[in-house]
Amino acid sequence: MNVLFLLPVVLIVALLLFVFLWSLRTPRKPAGSLADAASLEESGCRHATYSPQIKQALSGADLEYVATNGGDSLARRVRRERRRIAFAYLSALREDFDRLLSLGRTIAKLSPEVVALKEAERLQLTAEFLWRCRLIELRLLLGMATMPQVAGISDLVSSLTIRVEAALKELGERAAAAAQMSSSVNRGGLNAV
Amino acid sequence: MAGIYQFEFILWCISLLLQVTVFIYLLVSKKFRAYPGLAAYLGINILQSLVLYCFYIAWGFKSPQTKRAAWITQIPVLSMRAWAIADVCRLLLNRYAGIWAMAWRILAVLASALLLGSILIAGHSWDKVVFNLNMSLEWTTVLLIVVVFLFARNYEIASSPIVRTIALGFLLYSSFAVINATILNHWLARYSDAWNILGTLSFLASVSLWLSAVLKPVPVRKKVAMLPADIYQTLAPELNLRLRTLNDRLSRLWNPEGHRP
């Protein structure tokens, strides 16, 4: 008895059921609220402050100095270590952006009007961003990215993180003001999300 | 019972009894106000069962009249199911005015597109039209429920266990119906008896889930404080612009030609 005709349907249904169950999982971070938005500015986006150190760590001059004075073996070890640090740094910066995106979603959630096109665009941009990040990380992992490229990434993310920081600061202030305003009108309703 | 096998008839009776239990409980406890779609769906389902029972007695289980009645009475049942699913979406998202306003439009467009597609590919012969339409509607149900929960997930909107259980009931039944209908379409004659039994069994499981959901107390829906509208209007484009800039620069970085000034 040939049951292969059933396979595509069963696979699609199983996939949809899996997606449904996945969507029911509790998010890693608790659902955002106005108070969370207000506290984001204080807690998050601090990785950009390490940008000069990262840049220093990835500078070619440093590595040349180590190679000249400490030998090739030490230089290789230092390069490996520094690559690991760059990797961790990139991952931390991605967390910053994740936080920013989460804040964006929280704002959309708590807004009386939401524009579908803007939300769709953000979804698409987020997917693109994550995909590119993964590619660059993979390149780093495989040692395919040269040190100037990694330094370039560092420059890029740190400059953008500074802009994100500014945005977060503004968001935090505005969210805090809105939270204050709302709590004076409807005390206790802030964390009802 | 002319034509109905004993086991299938017992299952059918249990299913009907369970539906009546849930329906009466919803009415007596006044919980139908919280779940009007589910109550209406179960009410219509019970009515359909009674009408079909009369048809079975009058014309027999496999007569053309009974078959036609079974398919025709599916129309109000499916309409009420659409209401019940819309109700699940409402219960999940409507505390967030902006998200809900966007979501129901997207879901309505998606549902309309799926329905239109179903009608277009349903075929011309009477039996095929209703069968294909029914199968497509089951697909629509599954897709809509998954999409709405993905929506909630994306915006970190927590769903109450009751809404989840009701949705799971619809999802299980429709998923099973899709698989069941695919098998029936392939092995029509050999499978038709088993089809009825398996369909009833999956529906029985769904009604049990709904019973467990409605027995729980209706959660108090607290009002959510909204932000001023201009925050979104100002910051959403800014956020997208930043992401686009970042993507462009990441793309240039990835592409070796991107290093050129």
mmCIF file of all heavy atoms in Angstrom, chain A residues 25 31 34 105 109-112 115 118-119 121 125 129 132 139 153 160 167 171 174 192-193, chain B residues 95-96 98 102 149 153-156 171 226-227 230 232 235 240 242 244 246-247 251 253-254:
data_model
loop_
_atom_site.group_PDB
_atom_site.id
_atom_site.type_symbol
_atom_site.label_atom_id
_atom_site.label_comp_id
_atom_site.label_asym_id
_atom_site.label_seq_id
_atom_site.Cartn_x
_atom_site.Cartn_y
_atom_site.Cartn_z
ATOM 1 N N ARG A 25 5.518 28.927 23.462
ATOM 2 C CA ARG A 25 6.605 28.939 24.451
ATOM 3 C C ARG A 25 6.671 30.295 25.126
ATOM 4 O O ARG A 25 6.428 31.332 24.504
ATOM 5 C CB ARG A 25 7.956 28.702 23.757
ATOM 6 C CG ARG A 25 8.270 27.273 23.495
ATOM 7 C CD ARG A 25 9.663 27.125 22.974
ATOM 8 N NE ARG A 25 10.111 28.312 22.258
ATOM 9 C CZ ARG A 25 11.370 28.717 22.159
ATOM 10 N NH1 ARG A 25 12.314 28.023 22.743
ATOM 11 N NH2 ARG A 25 11.689 29.787 21.470
ATOM 12 N N ALA A 31 7.297 39.731 28.764
ATOM 13 C CA ALA A 31 6.660 40.680 27.857
ATOM 14 C C ALA A 31 6.962 42.113 28.275
ATOM 15 O O ALA A 31 6.973 42.436 29.455
ATOM 16 C CB ALA A 31 5.156 40.445 27.854
ATOM 17 N N LEU A 34 5.634 49.352 29.787
ATOM 18 C CA LEU A 34 6.157 50.721 29.769
ATOM 19 C C LEU A 34 7.334 50.855 30.729
ATOM 20 O O LEU A 34 8.309 51.532 30.435
ATOM 21 C CB LEU A 34 5.060 51.699 30.158
ATOM 22 C CG LEU A 34 3.960 51.889 29.121
ATOM 23 C CD1 LEU A 34 2.919 52.842 29.662
ATOM 24 C CD2 LEU A 34 4.503 52.393 27.816
ATOM 25 N N ARG A 105 8.892 46.575 19.233
ATOM 26 C CA ARG A 105 7.672 45.757 19.266
ATOM 27 C C ARG A 105 6.784 46.166 20.429
ATOM 28 O O ARG A 105 5.565 46.202 20.317
ATOM 29 C CB ARG A 105 8.041 44.276 19.381
ATOM 30 C CG ARG A 105 8.578 43.694 18.088
ATOM 31 C CD ARG A 105 8.594 42.187 18.163
ATOM 32 N NE ARG A 105 9.622 41.717 19.070
ATOM 33 C CZ ARG A 105 10.828 41.301 18.678
ATOM 34 N NH1 ARG A 105 11.121 41.297 17.393
ATOM 35 N NH2 ARG A 105 11.712 40.878 19.539
ATOM 36 N N LYS A 109 3.073 47.419 20.230
ATOM 37 C CA LYS A 109 2.026 46.733 21.006
ATOM 38 C C LYS A 109 1.200 47.720 21.814
ATOM 39 O O LYS A 109 -0.013 47.576 21.954
ATOM 40 C CB LYS A 109 2.715 45.729 21.934
ATOM 41 C CG LYS A 109 1.775 44.810 22.654
ATOM 42 C CD LYS A 109 2.527 43.652 23.245
ATOM 43 C CE LYS A 109 3.193 44.008 24.555
ATOM 44 N NZ LYS A 109 3.804 42.838 25.190
ATOM 45 N N LEU A 110 1.856 48.737 22.346
ATOM 46 C CA LEU A 110 1.170 49.671 23.231
ATOM 47 C C LEU A 110 0.690 50.929 22.501
ATOM 48 O O LEU A 110 0.304 51.911 23.139
ATOM 49 C CB LEU A 110 2.090 50.060 24.390
ATOM 50 C CG LEU A 110 2.526 48.906 25.290
ATOM 51 C CD1 LEU A 110 3.502 49.374 26.350
ATOM 52 C CD2 LEU A 110 1.325 48.242 25.946
ATOM 53 N N SER A 111 0.738 50.889 21.167
ATOM 54 C CA SER A 111 0.286 52.060 20.414
ATOM 55 C C SER A 111 -1.144 51.866 19.945
ATOM 56 O O SER A 111 -1.508 50.773 19.529
ATOM 57 C CB SER A 111 1.184 52.294 19.201
ATOM 58 O OG SER A 111 2.458 52.620 19.649
ATOM 59 N N PRO A 112 -1.918 52.936 19.984
ATOM 60 C CA PRO A 112 -3.315 52.792 19.534
ATOM 61 C C PRO A 112 -3.437 52.594 18.024
ATOM 62 O O PRO A 112 -4.443 52.101 17.545
ATOM 63 C CB PRO A 112 -3.967 54.106 19.973
ATOM 64 C CG PRO A 112 -2.839 55.058 20.201
ATOM 65 C CD PRO A 112 -1.624 54.270 20.529
ATOM 66 N N VAL A 115 1.053 50.750 11.853
ATOM 67 C CA VAL A 115 1.032 50.692 10.385
ATOM 68 C C VAL A 115 1.603 49.341 9.934
ATOM 69 O O VAL A 115 2.769 49.027 10.230
ATOM 70 C CB VAL A 115 1.853 51.857 9.788
ATOM 71 C CG1 VAL A 115 1.772 51.857 8.266
ATOM 72 C CG2 VAL A 115 1.365 53.185 10.351
ATOM 73 N N LYS A 118 4.919 49.301 7.910
ATOM 74 C CA LYS A 118 6.132 49.576 8.710
ATOM 75 C C LYS A 118 6.530 48.342 9.519
ATOM 76 O O LYS A 118 7.714 48.030 9.664
ATOM 77 C CB LYS A 118 5.886 50.752 9.652
ATOM 78 C CG LYS A 118 5.928 52.085 8.935
ATOM 79 C CD LYS A 118 6.069 53.212 9.916
ATOM 80 C CE LYS A 118 6.204 54.555 9.258
ATOM 81 N NZ LYS A 118 5.618 54.742 7.952
ATOM 82 N N GLU A 119 5.525 47.664 10.035
ATOM 83 C CA GLU A 119 5.804 46.451 10.822
ATOM 84 C C GLU A 119 6.395 45.353 9.928
ATOM 85 O O GLU A 119 7.339 44.678 10.316
ATOM 86 C CB GLU A 119 4.515 45.945 11.482
ATOM 87 C CG GLU A 119 3.955 46.871 12.545
ATOM 88 C CD GLU A 119 4.939 47.145 13.664
ATOM 89 O OE1 GLU A 119 5.388 46.205 14.309
ATOM 90 O OE2 GLU A 119 5.276 48.334 13.873
ATOM 91 N N GLU A 121 7.992 45.854 7.163
ATOM 92 C CA GLU A 121 9.339 46.287 6.766
ATOM 93 C C GLU A 121 10.335 45.964 7.880
ATOM 94 O O GLU A 121 11.433 45.468 7.624
ATOM 95 C CB GLU A 121 9.322 47.791 6.495
ATOM 96 C CG GLU A 121 10.622 48.276 5.890
ATOM 97 C CD GLU A 121 10.701 49.797 5.810
ATOM 98 O OE1 GLU A 121 9.831 50.483 6.385
ATOM 99 O OE2 GLU A 121 11.655 50.284 5.201
ATOM 100 N N LEU A 125 13.574 43.649 7.627
ATOM 101 C CA LEU A 125 14.905 44.191 7.942
ATOM 102 C C LEU A 125 15.564 43.410 9.071
ATOM 103 O O LEU A 125 16.774 43.183 9.053
ATOM 104 C CB LEU A 125 14.791 45.676 8.327
ATOM 105 C CG LEU A 125 14.464 46.630 7.175
ATOM 106 C CD1 LEU A 125 14.096 48.007 7.703
ATOM 107 C CD2 LEU A 125 15.635 46.734 6.212
ATOM 108 N N PHE A 129 19.002 41.522 8.847
ATOM 109 C CA PHE A 129 20.066 41.855 9.800
ATOM 110 C C PHE A 129 20.613 40.594 10.472
ATOM 111 O O PHE A 129 21.825 40.383 10.554
ATOM 112 C CB PHE A 129 19.517 42.845 10.838
ATOM 113 C CG PHE A 129 20.411 43.040 12.026
ATOM 114 C CD1 PHE A 129 21.601 43.729 11.906
ATOM 115 C CD2 PHE A 129 20.061 42.523 13.265
ATOM 116 C CE1 PHE A 129 22.432 43.900 12.997
ATOM 117 C CE2 PHE A 129 20.880 42.690 14.359
ATOM 118 C CZ PHE A 129 22.072 43.381 14.229
ATOM 119 N N ARG A 132 22.646 38.488 7.990
ATOM 120 C CA ARG A 132 23.974 39.052 7.712
ATOM 121 C C ARG A 132 24.907 38.883 8.912
ATOM 122 O O ARG A 132 26.092 38.599 8.754
ATOM 123 C CB ARG A 132 23.850 40.520 7.344
ATOM 124 C CG ARG A 132 23.323 40.712 5.940
ATOM 125 C CD ARG A 132 23.226 42.190 5.626
ATOM 126 N NE ARG A 132 22.049 42.457 4.859
ATOM 127 C CZ ARG A 132 21.980 42.483 3.544
ATOM 128 N NH1 ARG A 132 23.023 42.258 2.860
ATOM 129 N NH2 ARG A 132 20.871 42.736 2.906
ATOM 130 N N ARG A 139 31.945 33.783 9.069
ATOM 131 C CA ARG A 139 33.204 34.152 8.431
ATOM 132 C C ARG A 139 34.313 34.320 9.475
ATOM 133 O O ARG A 139 35.448 33.914 9.257
ATOM 134 C CB ARG A 139 32.984 35.463 7.681
ATOM 135 C CG ARG A 139 33.799 35.525 6.440
ATOM 136 C CD ARG A 139 33.319 36.631 5.568
ATOM 137 N NE ARG A 139 34.376 36.969 4.638
ATOM 138 C CZ ARG A 139 34.207 37.710 3.570
ATOM 139 N NH1 ARG A 139 33.023 38.214 3.322
ATOM 140 N NH2 ARG A 139 35.199 37.979 2.775
ATOM 141 N N ILE A 153 34.000 46.043 10.994
ATOM 142 C CA ILE A 153 32.730 45.652 11.637
ATOM 143 C C ILE A 153 32.605 46.381 12.974
ATOM 144 O O ILE A 153 31.557 46.926 13.312
ATOM 145 C CB ILE A 153 32.664 44.127 11.875
ATOM 146 C CG1 ILE A 153 32.721 43.372 10.551
ATOM 147 C CG2 ILE A 153 31.407 43.745 12.626
ATOM 148 C CD1 ILE A 153 32.928 41.884 10.711
ATOM 149 N N LEU A 160 26.953 52.674 14.951
ATOM 150 C CA LEU A 160 25.497 52.502 14.968
ATOM 151 C C LEU A 160 24.967 52.327 16.382
ATOM 152 O O LEU A 160 23.871 52.766 16.705
ATOM 153 C CB LEU A 160 25.099 51.306 14.109
ATOM 154 C CG LEU A 160 25.030 51.676 12.631
ATOM 155 C CD1 LEU A 160 25.134 50.466 11.753
ATOM 156 C CD2 LEU A 160 23.750 52.421 12.347
ATOM 157 N N ALA A 167 18.953 56.834 20.559
ATOM 158 C CA ALA A 167 17.527 56.538 20.360
ATOM 159 C C ALA A 167 16.918 55.950 21.616
ATOM 160 O O ALA A 167 15.817 56.309 22.025
ATOM 161 C CB ALA A 167 17.355 55.567 19.208
ATOM 162 N N LEU A 171 13.904 57.209 23.758
ATOM 163 C CA LEU A 171 12.749 56.327 23.998
ATOM 164 C C LEU A 171 12.490 56.167 25.483
ATOM 165 O O LEU A 171 11.356 56.209 25.947
ATOM 166 C CB LEU A 171 13.007 54.947 23.393
ATOM 167 C CG LEU A 171 12.881 54.796 21.894
ATOM 168 C CD1 LEU A 171 13.262 53.388 21.493
ATOM 169 C CD2 LEU A 171 11.464 55.079 21.466
ATOM 170 N N ARG A 174 10.953 59.207 26.902
ATOM 171 C CA ARG A 174 9.556 59.381 26.495
ATOM 172 C C ARG A 174 8.663 58.321 27.121
ATOM 173 O O ARG A 174 7.547 58.597 27.532
ATOM 174 C CB ARG A 174 9.454 59.331 24.977
ATOM 175 C CG ARG A 174 10.236 60.452 24.332
ATOM 176 C CD ARG A 174 9.976 60.499 22.873
ATOM 177 N NE ARG A 174 8.631 61.000 22.588
ATOM 178 C CZ ARG A 174 8.195 61.265 21.377
ATOM 179 N NH1 ARG A 174 8.974 61.075 20.351
ATOM 180 N NH2 ARG A 174 6.980 61.706 21.189
ATOM 181 N N ALA A 192 -0.143 45.421 33.157
ATOM 182 C CA ALA A 192 -1.248 44.492 32.848
ATOM 183 C C ALA A 192 -1.040 43.744 31.550
ATOM 184 O O ALA A 192 -1.892 43.021 31.118
ATOM 185 C CB ALA A 192 -2.550 45.270 32.776
ATOM 186 N N VAL A 193 0.122 43.912 30.925
ATOM 187 C CA VAL A 193 0.365 43.286 29.622
ATOM 188 C C VAL A 193 0.396 41.769 29.726
ATOM 189 O O VAL A 193 0.929 41.246 30.655
ATOM 190 C CB VAL A 193 1.721 43.791 29.061
ATOM 191 C CG1 VAL A 193 1.990 43.150 27.717
ATOM 192 C CG2 VAL A 193 1.719 45.286 28.945
ATOM 193 N N ARG B 95 -6.798 43.335 23.287
ATOM 194 C CA ARG B 95 -6.455 44.305 24.341
ATOM 195 C C ARG B 95 -5.471 45.350 23.811
ATOM 196 O O ARG B 95 -5.283 46.384 24.424
ATOM 197 C CB ARG B 95 -5.841 43.571 25.538
ATOM 198 C CG ARG B 95 -6.900 42.927 26.409
ATOM 199 C CD ARG B 95 -6.358 42.510 27.734
ATOM 200 N NE ARG B 95 -5.193 41.663 27.585
ATOM 201 C CZ ARG B 95 -4.234 41.555 28.490
ATOM 202 N NH1 ARG B 95 -4.288 42.261 29.592
ATOM 203 N NH2 ARG B 95 -3.211 40.745 28.307
ATOM 204 N N TYR B 96 -4.835 45.007 22.705
ATOM 205 C CA TYR B 96 -3.852 45.926 22.125
ATOM 206 C C TYR B 96 -4.450 46.509 20.848
ATOM 207 O O TYR B 96 -4.400 45.883 19.783
ATOM 208 C CB TYR B 96 -2.547 45.171 21.836
ATOM 209 C CG TYR B 96 -2.029 44.482 23.073
ATOM 210 C CD1 TYR B 96 -2.289 43.139 23.303
ATOM 211 C CD2 TYR B 96 -1.343 45.198 24.042
ATOM 212 C CE1 TYR B 96 -1.868 42.520 24.468
ATOM 213 C CE2 TYR B 96 -0.915 44.583 25.203
ATOM 214 C CZ TYR B 96 -1.184 43.240 25.408
ATOM 215 O OH TYR B 96 -0.773 42.629 26.554
ATOM 216 N N GLY B 98 -3.894 48.823 18.577
ATOM 217 C CA GLY B 98 -3.170 48.980 17.318
ATOM 218 C C GLY B 98 -2.881 47.651 16.658
ATOM 219 O O GLY B 98 -3.096 47.468 15.454
ATOM 220 N N MET B 102 -4.513 46.060 13.162
ATOM 221 C CA MET B 102 -3.681 45.594 12.048
ATOM 222 C C MET B 102 -3.919 44.099 11.796
ATOM 223 O O MET B 102 -4.085 43.673 10.649
ATOM 224 C CB MET B 102 -2.207 45.847 12.382
ATOM 225 C CG MET B 102 -1.250 45.289 11.359
ATOM 226 S SD MET B 102 0.454 45.687 11.706
ATOM 227 C CE MET B 102 0.758 44.792 13.207
ATOM 228 N N PHE B 149 -1.179 33.080 16.292
ATOM 229 C CA PHE B 149 -0.317 32.823 17.459
ATOM 230 C C PHE B 149 1.127 33.273 17.185
ATOM 231 O O PHE B 149 1.816 33.693 18.103
ATOM 232 C CB PHE B 149 -0.396 31.352 17.890
ATOM 233 C CG PHE B 149 -1.548 31.109 18.830
ATOM 234 C CD1 PHE B 149 -2.822 30.875 18.358
ATOM 235 C CD2 PHE B 149 -1.373 31.184 20.203
ATOM 236 C CE1 PHE B 149 -3.898 30.696 19.216
ATOM 237 C CE2 PHE B 149 -2.438 31.013 21.078
ATOM 238 C CZ PHE B 149 -3.708 30.763 20.579
ATOM 239 N N ARG B 153 3.179 35.922 19.320
ATOM 240 C CA ARG B 153 4.544 35.608 19.739
ATOM 241 C C ARG B 153 5.497 36.757 19.355
ATOM 242 O O ARG B 153 6.338 37.170 20.132
ATOM 243 C CB ARG B 153 4.953 34.294 19.063
ATOM 244 C CG ARG B 153 6.417 33.991 19.090
ATOM 245 C CD ARG B 153 6.795 33.254 20.336
ATOM 246 N NE ARG B 153 8.221 33.193 20.489
ATOM 247 C CZ ARG B 153 8.837 32.713 21.549
ATOM 248 N NH1 ARG B 153 8.150 32.256 22.553
ATOM 249 N NH2 ARG B 153 10.131 32.699 21.628
ATOM 250 N N ASN B 154 5.325 37.249 18.128
ATOM 251 C CA ASN B 154 6.193 38.320 17.640
ATOM 252 C C ASN B 154 6.102 39.560 18.531
ATOM 253 O O ASN B 154 7.108 40.200 18.805
ATOM 254 C CB ASN B 154 5.806 38.664 16.196
ATOM 255 C CG ASN B 154 6.685 39.748 15.624
ATOM 256 O OD1 ASN B 154 7.909 39.668 15.691
ATOM 257 N ND2 ASN B 154 6.084 40.781 15.079
ATOM 258 N N TYR B 155 4.899 39.864 19.001
ATOM 259 C CA TYR B 155 4.724 41.051 19.839
ATOM 260 C C TYR B 155 4.755 40.716 21.335
ATOM 261 O O TYR B 155 4.363 41.537 22.150
ATOM 262 C CB TYR B 155 3.424 41.775 19.468
ATOM 263 C CG TYR B 155 3.538 42.434 18.116
ATOM 264 C CD1 TYR B 155 2.990 41.864 16.984
ATOM 265 C CD2 TYR B 155 4.257 43.610 17.966
ATOM 266 C CE1 TYR B 155 3.132 42.440 15.734
ATOM 267 C CE2 TYR B 155 4.402 44.207 16.724
ATOM 268 C CZ TYR B 155 3.841 43.611 15.620
ATOM 269 O OH TYR B 155 4.003 44.193 14.388
ATOM 270 N N GLU B 156 5.217 39.534 21.648
ATOM 271 C CA GLU B 156 5.357 39.097 23.043
ATOM 272 C C GLU B 156 4.046 39.262 23.818
ATOM 273 O O GLU B 156 4.021 39.750 24.944
ATOM 274 C CB GLU B 156 6.497 39.866 23.709
ATOM 275 C CG GLU B 156 7.856 39.494 23.124
ATOM 276 C CD GLU B 156 8.971 40.458 23.508
ATOM 277 O OE1 GLU B 156 8.715 41.368 24.300
ATOM 278 O OE2 GLU B 156 10.089 40.297 23.000
ATOM 279 N N LEU B 171 -7.351 23.512 16.155
ATOM 280 C CA LEU B 171 -6.173 23.152 15.356
ATOM 281 C C LEU B 171 -6.070 21.636 15.188
ATOM 282 O O LEU B 171 -5.840 21.140 14.077
ATOM 283 C CB LEU B 171 -4.918 23.693 16.043
ATOM 284 C CG LEU B 171 -3.644 23.635 15.235
ATOM 285 C CD1 LEU B 171 -3.723 24.578 14.045
ATOM 286 C CD2 LEU B 171 -2.446 24.019 16.078
ATOM 287 N N MET B 226 -2.141 52.595 27.142
ATOM 288 C CA MET B 226 -1.559 52.800 25.816
ATOM 289 C C MET B 226 -0.612 54.014 25.817
ATOM 290 O O MET B 226 -0.776 54.941 26.609
ATOM 291 C CB MET B 226 -2.671 53.054 24.791
ATOM 292 C CG MET B 226 -3.483 51.828 24.465
ATOM 293 S SD MET B 226 -2.612 50.762 23.300
ATOM 294 C CE MET B 226 -3.116 49.167 23.851
ATOM 295 N N LEU B 227 0.337 53.955 24.908
ATOM 296 C CA LEU B 227 1.248 55.090 24.742
ATOM 297 C C LEU B 227 0.572 56.147 23.858
ATOM 298 O O LEU B 227 -0.315 55.808 23.070
ATOM 299 C CB LEU B 227 2.513 54.623 24.022
ATOM 300 C CG LEU B 227 3.523 53.799 24.798
ATOM 301 C CD1 LEU B 227 4.518 53.173 23.832
ATOM 302 C CD2 LEU B 227 4.272 54.658 25.795
ATOM 303 N N ASP B 230 1.758 59.436 18.938
ATOM 304 C CA ASP B 230 2.885 60.036 18.205
ATOM 305 C C ASP B 230 4.211 59.330 18.477
ATOM 306 O O ASP B 230 5.144 59.433 17.688
ATOM 307 C CB ASP B 230 2.999 61.525 18.522
ATOM 308 C CG ASP B 230 3.468 61.768 19.941
ATOM 309 O OD1 ASP B 230 2.806 61.246 20.852
ATOM 310 O OD2 ASP B 230 4.495 62.454 20.130
ATOM 311 N N TYR B 232 4.799 56.097 18.415
ATOM 312 C CA TYR B 232 4.970 55.112 17.344
ATOM 313 C C TYR B 232 5.240 55.792 16.017
ATOM 314 O O TYR B 232 6.135 55.400 15.273
ATOM 315 C CB TYR B 232 3.716 54.229 17.254
ATOM 316 C CG TYR B 232 3.790 53.220 16.131
ATOM 317 C CD1 TYR B 232 4.477 52.029 16.294
ATOM 318 C CD2 TYR B 232 3.205 53.480 14.894
ATOM 319 C CE1 TYR B 232 4.576 51.116 15.260
ATOM 320 C CE2 TYR B 232 3.295 52.573 13.855
ATOM 321 C CZ TYR B 232 3.972 51.395 14.045
ATOM 322 O OH TYR B 232 4.074 50.488 13.012
ATOM 323 N N LEU B 235 8.860 57.070 16.083
ATOM 324 C CA LEU B 235 9.984 56.144 16.263
ATOM 325 C C LEU B 235 10.011 54.952 15.321
ATOM 326 O O LEU B 235 11.084 54.449 15.013
ATOM 327 C CB LEU B 235 10.036 55.675 17.708
ATOM 328 C CG LEU B 235 10.441 56.791 18.654
ATOM 329 C CD1 LEU B 235 10.281 56.371 20.089
ATOM 330 C CD2 LEU B 235 11.882 57.219 18.412
ATOM 331 N N ASN B 240 13.274 51.688 11.616
ATOM 332 C CA ASN B 240 13.441 51.002 10.332
ATOM 333 C C ASN B 240 14.605 51.596 9.545
ATOM 334 O O ASN B 240 15.355 50.866 8.910
ATOM 335 C CB ASN B 240 12.150 51.094 9.508
ATOM 336 C CG ASN B 240 11.070 50.205 10.075
ATOM 337 O OD1 ASN B 240 11.284 49.554 11.092
ATOM 338 N ND2 ASN B 240 9.920 50.191 9.462
ATOM 339 N N ARG B 242 17.250 52.984 10.739
ATOM 340 C CA ARG B 242 18.516 52.536 11.336
ATOM 341 C C ARG B 242 18.832 51.101 10.937
ATOM 342 O O ARG B 242 19.966 50.777 10.629
ATOM 343 C CB ARG B 242 18.430 52.632 12.861
ATOM 344 C CG ARG B 242 18.644 54.031 13.304
ATOM 345 C CD ARG B 242 18.860 54.158 14.784
ATOM 346 N NE ARG B 242 18.962 55.566 15.053
ATOM 347 C CZ ARG B 242 18.130 56.259 15.796
ATOM 348 N NH1 ARG B 242 17.139 55.657 16.374
ATOM 349 N NH2 ARG B 242 18.293 57.540 15.969
ATOM 350 N N ARG B 244 17.807 49.602 8.255
ATOM 351 C CA ARG B 244 18.146 49.571 6.838
ATOM 352 C C ARG B 244 19.596 50.008 6.626
ATOM 353 O O ARG B 244 20.341 49.401 5.875
ATOM 354 C CB ARG B 244 17.197 50.464 6.041
ATOM 355 C CG ARG B 244 17.144 50.060 4.570
ATOM 356 C CD ARG B 244 16.167 50.880 3.757
ATOM 357 N NE ARG B 244 14.831 50.849 4.291
ATOM 358 C CZ ARG B 244 14.187 51.912 4.785
ATOM 359 N NH1 ARG B 244 14.776 53.086 4.813
ATOM 360 N NH2 ARG B 244 12.970 51.798 5.251
ATOM 361 N N LEU B 246 22.008 49.847 8.750
ATOM 362 C CA LEU B 246 22.879 48.787 9.259
ATOM 363 C C LEU B 246 23.000 47.651 8.251
ATOM 364 O O LEU B 246 24.096 47.167 7.972
ATOM 365 C CB LEU B 246 22.317 48.259 10.579
ATOM 366 C CG LEU B 246 23.077 47.091 11.169
ATOM 367 C CD1 LEU B 246 24.428 47.540 11.676
ATOM 368 C CD2 LEU B 246 22.296 46.447 12.285
ATOM 369 N N ASN B 247 21.858 47.258 7.684
ATOM 370 C CA ASN B 247 21.880 46.171 6.699
ATOM 371 C C ASN B 247 22.701 46.551 5.470
ATOM 372 O O ASN B 247 23.460 45.733 4.958
ATOM 373 C CB ASN B 247 20.451 45.807 6.281
ATOM 374 C CG ASN B 247 19.790 44.912 7.293
ATOM 375 O OD1 ASN B 247 20.467 44.223 8.054
ATOM 376 N ND2 ASN B 247 18.473 44.929 7.344
ATOM 377 N N SER B 251 25.998 44.675 4.391
ATOM 378 C CA SER B 251 26.040 44.078 3.062
ATOM 379 C C SER B 251 27.307 44.519 2.331
ATOM 380 O O SER B 251 27.961 43.712 1.673
ATOM 381 C CB SER B 251 24.796 44.523 2.299
ATOM 382 O OG SER B 251 24.920 44.197 0.966
ATOM 383 N N LEU B 253 30.043 45.429 3.679
ATOM 384 C CA LEU B 253 31.178 44.830 4.373
ATOM 385 C C LEU B 253 31.384 43.383 3.919
ATOM 386 O O LEU B 253 32.496 42.904 3.779
ATOM 387 C CB LEU B 253 30.895 44.860 5.870
ATOM 388 C CG LEU B 253 32.090 44.750 6.781
ATOM 389 C CD1 LEU B 253 32.890 46.038 6.781
ATOM 390 C CD2 LEU B 253 31.610 44.456 8.196
ATOM 391 N N TRP B 254 30.257 42.727 3.687
ATOM 392 C CA TRP B 254 30.310 41.323 3.277
ATOM 393 C C TRP B 254 30.823 41.212 1.851
ATOM 394 O O TRP B 254 31.560 40.302 1.504
ATOM 395 C CB TRP B 254 28.894 40.725 3.410
ATOM 396 C CG TRP B 254 28.822 39.306 2.990
ATOM 397 C CD1 TRP B 254 28.224 38.807 1.877
ATOM 398 C CD2 TRP B 254 29.383 38.180 3.657
ATOM 399 N NE1 TRP B 254 28.354 37.460 1.816
ATOM 400 C CE2 TRP B 254 29.062 37.039 2.903
ATOM 401 C CE3 TRP B 254 30.118 38.029 4.826
ATOM 402 C CZ2 TRP B 254 29.472 35.761 3.271
ATOM 403 C CZ3 TRP B 254 30.518 36.753 5.198
ATOM 404 C CH2 TRP B 254 30.176 35.643 4.421
#
